Amino acid sequence: MEQLSQFNGPDVKEWKGYTIEDLRYERALNNARREIVSEQIKTLCKEVADGAPITSGNRTIFSKITASLSYIDYGIMAVTAFSRIRKMFSRAKSLRN
């Protein structure tokens, strides 16, 4: 029994490649996506430069970030911060001696 992967399906030999129209369509689609993202970035930069908080209703970016974190994320951040602070104090202690 022959095993088929995703690359050698039954119609692999029939596929002739991309047409010029397909390539032009993909290029236009990617350019449109790039333009949309660049406009979003420009808008965010303008809001930051004007000093306006980046909000959606009453929520700021900080509240969105903290709302998306779980208790496990807070625990991992606490352990990481504790280990870094411990290393700093041990280095400072070794330099004093």
Side-chain angles (χ1 to χ4, degrees), residues 41-59:
I41 291 172
K42 287 178 188 176
T43 302
L44 285 174
C45 290
K46 187 173 186 293
E47 287 178 1
V48 169
D50 292 341
I54 302 169
T55 61
S56 171
N58 292 334
R59 298 179 67 189

Side-chain angles (χ1 to χ4, degrees), residues 58-77:
N58 292 334
R59 298 179 67 189
T60 62
I61 285 184
F62 182 73
S63 65
K64 288 179 186 178
I65 292 172
T66 55
S68 68
L69 295 175
S70 68
Y71 289 113
I72 294 173
D73 295 325
Y74 287 120
I76 291 171
M77 288 191 306

Side-chain angles (χ1 to χ4, degrees), residues 11-22:
D11 58 345
V12 167
K13 293 179 181 173
E14 297 172 9
W15 189 69
K16 303 288 185 197
Y18 292 108
T19 64
I20 294 294
E21 290 82 23
D22 292 339

